[in-house]
Amino acid sequence: MEVKKDILWRVYLGFLGLTLFGILILGKAFYTQSFEGSYWRSMGDSMHTKIIDLAAERGTIYSEDGSMLSTSLPQFDMYVDFGADGLRAKDGKNFFSNVDSLSICLSRLFKDKSADTYKKELKLAYKNKERYYPLRKKVSFEEYKELREFPLVRLGKNKSGFIAEVKTKRLNPFGELGFRTIGLYRENAKLVGLERSFDTVLRGTSGKRLVRFVAGGVMMPVEGYEVEPENGNDVYTTLDVNIQDITERALMRTMTTNEALEGTCIVMEVATGKIKAIANLSRTEEGTYFEKDNFALRTSEPGSTIKLVTLFAALEDKHVTINDNITIHGGRWNLNGRTIVDDHHGPEVISIKNSFAQSSNVAMSKLAYQFYTNDPKKYYKHLKNLHLTSKTGIELNEEFKPLVKNPNTAKYWHPQTLASWGFGYEIMLSPLQLLMVYNAVANNGKMMKPYLLNEVRSYGTVIQKVEPEVLNEQIGRPETIQQLQECLKEVCITGTGKNVFANSPYKVAGKTGTAKVNDGKFKYSDGVYQSAFAGYFPVDAPKYSIIVVVKNKPHAANYYGGTVAAPVFREIADHLYKYTMNQPQPLQLPAVDSMLYTFGGMKKEIQSIGNTFQFGYNDAMSGNWRTVAVKNKILQPQVLNLAASTIPDVRGLGLKDALYVLENNGLTVQVNGKGKVVGQSINAGTPVSKGQSIVLYLN
């Protein structure tokens, strides 16, 4: 019995011991989970590191005159490391002696919380030793500059614990001007326009940073483990901000008046093919307009604007001349059971020149059908030589491929297709493609490739320059081009454009177009018409070619190309004639680079600046005047040419120096603005005339 009791006592004692030990373990686990969980989780997080990408600063898109069209502005996410040794040194003396005044400053700057609320939150974060406390996100550069001077923050990162994480915000300084063509960069969203086409050029190369995870999964940078990103390059376009604004306003005015559904307008420089403006507008359900799509690159049945191509083929193959007569049966022609009609009753017989001016569907369809039915491949070859069977190749990814039936392979080819082609149906072309043809006629037969990119620059240095490209040195015989030019002029004198251009101070050549719309959304029977006008001016020395295309609302009272699209052309041309073509000299603006600072002055003064700021400066060149670029604390000088016989380039100089240089050359100087010289009314290198007046533009 005694042995049995002894054994039971030992068993009970062991069981009690194990039970107490288990209770202690559970109690410790509960205490750790409830009261020390956040501490140990943060300790666990701190053992994890990760390498993350650092986004490069995206390059800027500029207009041809140096105006920013799309740029990146810095934004800052502000954090505080309340575990920083410098902040907690001497029992947190730096923190507690500044927290009151800091809270007042933060409340005044951000205006989102009271000073007392800021003070309570900061003290609580300090007490909890929060390692990456999010103070404020999306702080602007101006706010950041002010924040850096606040109490505690001005002590520096080590003593204040303040950390600024730099991010960038993409901004279009001109708002929605040219929005669809320029595009808008948004993270995790599909890019459009130039932002998409030149994404690889603009975005640069990402950097790398080693981060450590702290409480709450927040990432904290590890000092000394970072590879700086390489910023993107700047893109300089052919666009002109003023012309773009003129174009959009003119298009908006007509579309609003007519309650049109959508419209586009393109302005091209005749001699080079440079695109100076592209406007695109769509009507919303609320009746407002915005740039939803790039209609300049979308294809549609062009209607009568293609009659230039029809006439070109007949003239080039010497089937007719513009003085020949053609029978149009009063404007109504029965073709194997199909009736082709003109918009208005006409004579029985008319000259080809007048039939073009009056936009006769019968005349143009008869030319195409009569001369090419037996050899449709020959007509197709003309379309191909005019680059109407392929994309233009402009630097925008949204361009549609034209739909042109090939008589050799087209499944739906029909002999009457030629008759339809003659006045703009059964063929899908974009406004840009048609403008390219009109521009070639304006350019005496030389077809230029339309383009938007002028050059690419890296830190102010040109690394890629685009020159005008000739697609076809001569699209047709000189006699053909001359006859086409005469017909286009006649449209604006006696034809469908006469009411718009009769009193113009300059001569215009162009063609109206009106077409029924059948685009999948609308059928021919829905009464939706597309109005168009394509042409160039001034006739004697063409500078710009323009196309306007407007899709009207169903059953619109006003839908003709001559009354809807032609007035848009006229308004744009009036402004361009007044503000760009009627000026003696264009304003010369500087090459702007977002990463480079430039200035100018006398050599000795620049040397003194370099020595004062400990910038590298090596200059063994002769002469007293310099223009200087500052890059990476190194002064890069160039000799300022001050030849007495020519106008010097004083851009970058201060006003005092510019006045000294120009007045010594015998010039009278007028000044606009304040700051450095950013432009001059007479181009550098122009011969000097004594007493000549020059305007300086300062900024």
Side-chain angles (χ1 to χ4, degrees), residues 125-312:
Y126 180 87
K127 178 182 177 181
N128 294 334
K129 296 183 181 181
E130 295 197 31
R131 298 307 306 266
Y132 216 53
Y133 173 73
L135 178 70
R136 178 86 175 185
K137 292 192 175 184
K138 296 183 179 180
V139 175
S140 70
F141 182 63
E142 293 300 321
E143 291 173 330
Y144 175 68
K145 287 195 298 182
E146 191 173 344
L147 179 63
R148 287 189 304 178
E149 303 303 320
F150 283 0
L152 185 61
V153 186
R154 58 174 171 248
L155 298 178
K157 179 180 177 180
N158 293 332
K159 292 184 178 180
S160 70
F162 273 75
I163 301 168
E165 189 172 293
V166 185
K167 296 185 177 181
T168 57
K169 176 184 178 182
R170 201 65 174 169
L171 177 70
N172 291 42
F174 290 95
E176 294 186 2
L177 192 72
F179 181 73
R180 189 70 193 188
T181 301
I182 298 164
L184 177 65
Y185 177 82
R186 296 167 295 173
E187 289 187 11
N188 303 319
K190 183 179 179 181
L191 301 179
V192 297
L194 295 171
E195 290 278 12
R196 178 183 178 187
S197 300
F198 296 104
D199 182 48
T200 55
V201 174
L202 292 163
R203 72 184 178 203
T205 304
S206 299
K208 301 291 181 182
R209 173 186 286 169
L210 181 65
V211 296
R212 185 177 71 249
F213 289 90
V214 296
V218 177
M219 295 180 292
M220 184 173 180
V222 178
E223 292 288 338
Y225 293 89
E226 185 174 306
V227 177
E228 290 291 333
E230 183 178 335
N231 292 333
N233 297 320
D234 295 330
V235 169
Y236 283 74
T237 70
T238 62
L239 296 172
D240 185 295
V241 172
N242 292 323
I243 298 177
Q244 182 71 37
D245 184 50
I246 290 167
T247 302
E248 289 195 11
R249 287 176 183 271
L251 183 62
M252 176 72 79
R253 200 179 330 275
T254 288
M255 292 191 65
T256 302
T257 301
N258 291 277
E259 298 180 349
L261 302 179
E262 59 190 44
T264 186
C265 180
I266 314 169
V267 180
M268 183 189 293
E269 196 173 75
V270 170
T272 62
K274 288 182 178 180
I275 301 297
K276 308 308 295 181
I278 301 182
N280 297 280
L281 293 174
S282 297
R283 183 178 174 87
T284 66
E285 292 181 358
E286 294 77 24
T288 58
Y289 290 91
F290 79 112
E291 293 218 6
K292 177 184 177 182
D293 206 344
N294 204 329
F295 301 112
L297 307 179
R298 288 178 58 180
T299 58
S300 64
E301 291 179 307
S304 296
T305 49
I306 205 174
K307 290 174 182 175
L308 181 71
V309 176
T310 307
L311 184 56
F312 167 81

Side-chain angles (χ1 to χ4, degrees), residues 477-643:
R477 296 179 297 111
E479 297 85 352
T480 299
I481 303 302
Q482 184 181 359
Q483 291 182 85
L484 292 175
Q485 291 171 343
E486 285 188 37
C487 288
L488 290 170
K489 286 189 287 185
E490 194 66 26
V491 170
C492 302
I493 298 172
T494 65
T496 52
K498 67 178 180 180
N499 292 334
V500 177
F501 301 104
N503 61 347
S504 173
Y506 51 88
K507 292 181 179 179
V508 175
K511 180 71 186 75
T512 59
T514 308
K516 288 185 177 181
V517 172
N518 181 19
D519 59 1
K521 182 178 181 181
F522 296 105
K523 299 178 180 179
Y524 292 131
S525 58
D526 291 331
V528 176
Y529 286 87
Q530 180 173 283
S531 312
F533 187 88
Y536 56 87
F537 78 101
V539 164
D540 297 332
K543 174 69 174 176
Y544 296 109
S545 59
I546 304 173
I547 188 168
V548 181
V549 179
V550 175
K551 183 188 291 184
N552 298 284
K553 66 180 181 180
H555 309 293
N558 182 22
Y559 59 86
Y560 289 110
T563 56
V564 175
V568 179
F569 183 107
R570 172 67 190 268
E571 183 176 341
I572 296 168
D574 281 350
H575 283 288
L576 293 182
Y577 183 78
K578 180 178 179 181
Y579 294 116
T580 66
M581 301 182 61
N582 214 22
Q583 300 297 322
Q585 288 288 347
L587 168 64
Q588 187 182 59
L589 289 174
V592 181
D593 174 34
S594 55
M595 306 301 298
L596 213 61
Y597 178 75
T598 60
F599 66 99
M602 296 195 71
K603 179 179 178 179
K604 289 183 179 180
E605 293 174 347
I606 293 172
Q607 286 177 327
S608 175
I609 292 172
N611 293 335
T612 301
F613 291 95
Q614 297 181 337
F615 286 173
Y617 184 72
N618 184 13
D619 185 1
M621 296 179 288
S622 59
N624 293 324
W625 291 89
R626 299 285 185 271
T627 56
V628 179
V630 183
K631 180 181 178 183
N632 298 329
K633 293 188 177 183
I634 297 176
L635 301 181
Q636 303 173 343
Q638 288 185 332
V639 175
L640 180 60
N641 184 13
L642 298 180

Side-chain angles (χ1 to χ4, degrees), residues 46-61:
S46 67
M47 302 300 292
H48 297 285
T49 59
K50 180 182 179 181
I51 295 176
I52 63 172
D53 289 331
L54 292 178
E57 183 176 328
R58 194 170 178 84
T60 297
I61 300 176

